[in-house]
Amino acid sequence: MSTYDASFRVWRGDAEGGELRDFTVEVHDGEVVLDIVHRLQATQASDLAVRWNCKAGKCGSCSAEVNGRPRLMCMTRMSTFERTETITITPLRAFPVVRDLVTDVSFNYRKAREVPAFVPPEGVAPGAYRMQQIDVERSQEFRKCIECFLCQDTCHVVRDHEENKGAFAGPRFLMRVAELDMHPLDAASDAGLDRKRTAQEEHGLGYCNITKCCTEVCPEGIRITDNALIPLKERAVDRKYDPLVWLGSKIGRRKG
């Protein structure tokens, strides 16, 4: 097994401020960035704060920015970089720093609570739901989300504009709205909840300008923009501006 020394710049600090510090760390064949961070902790910076759990790309805990790109450190192989390259590791830029590489991602949990939950169909007991595979194929993709929040971090609506956080749920939770709106058994409309309207008026769907940056960083390969956000935008626009759809919705309300 071959080894080499790699140059790293790692952000050290807390909410009050910090700086990038230089380290030289030994790298072994087959290792990922998280392996190097652990070795750095063990040999040179025992107080380095980093969040991680499964080291298998399924918990979403070890999110950080590697050379400016939001990534899971456990899924970023050292072999993707040149051996002479200096690798910079910084905390997620869109969220407040707690310490070193750990950020406060509670914004995302607040947004999760703002999305109304699945509304079960009336008269169908839990465990008795029946769906055809063809009816769930579109939204099944979204269930792969591991909530690493890389899409939230890279979305420029919140990354570059802190003031938008109050009005914008971000791609992860707009995808959740789309998933529920596509769910064949979701009875939100029967309960008086219009998910397309709330996506536009309460979760900030209109802020998204479909740059696809969220899709590009998703470690699960979910096509967030193409399969969730654009279809949701199309349905929201139809609901609001198509005269026939608008008239049908009014007639439906009177009938109910």
Side-chain angles (χ1 to χ4, degrees), residues 1 5 13 37 43 81 115 126 135 142 148 169 181 195 200 221-222:
M1 179 175 65
D5 289 336
V37 170
T43 61
F81 306 105
V115 177
D135 294 326
F142 312 141
C148 60
D181 194 47
R195 295 196 187 278
Q200 189 74 20
I222 303 171

Side-chain angles (χ1 to χ4, degrees), residues 106-251:
S106 58
F107 160 80
N108 300 287
Y109 303 122
R110 291 195 299 272
K111 292 301 177 181
R113 287 193 292 269
E114 292 174 5
V115 177
F118 169 77
V119 179
E122 187 177 353
V124 182
Y129 303 151
R130 296 294 181 268
M131 297 175 285
Q132 297 295 320
Q133 178 61 33
I134 193 172
D135 294 326
V136 298
E137 281 178 350
R138 289 186 68 198
S139 61
Q140 198 168 28
E141 173 190 13
F142 312 141
R143 302 293 291 183
K144 296 191 298 180
C145 176
I146 61 174
E147 297 204 326
C148 60
F149 304 130
L150 295 182
C151 63
Q152 300 283 89
D153 179 62
T154 199
C155 179
H156 63 87
V157 178
V158 293
R159 184 179 179 88
D160 299 326
H161 301 278
E162 181 73 19
E163 68 276 12
N164 290 337
K165 284 186 175 180
F168 185 62
R172 190 278 170 266
F173 299 106
L174 287 170
M175 180 174 71
R176 173 63 174 159
V177 175
E179 176 194 337
L180 290 168
D181 194 47
M182 294 178 187
H183 198 297
L185 292 182
D186 182 59
S189 59
D190 296 336
L193 173 62
D194 186 341
R195 295 196 187 278
K196 289 171 279 291
R197 182 191 63 78
T198 58
Q200 189 74 20
E201 298 179 6
E202 299 177 18
H203 306 305
L205 179 62
Y207 282 84
C208 171
N209 59 6
I210 58 176
T211 58
K212 300 190 180 184
C213 53
C214 53
T215 299
E216 291 173 1
V217 300
C218 179
E220 287 293 321
I222 303 171
R223 298 179 64 191
I224 302 170
T225 310
D226 290 338
N227 293 349
L229 304 187
I230 291 176
L232 185 60
K233 276 178 171 283
E234 291 171 344
R235 293 195 300 277
V237 167
D238 284 347
R239 187 75 171 179
K240 190 168 184 178
Y241 298 111
D242 188 305
L244 294 179
V245 174
W246 179 87
L247 180 61
S249 67
K250 296 298 181 181
I251 293 173

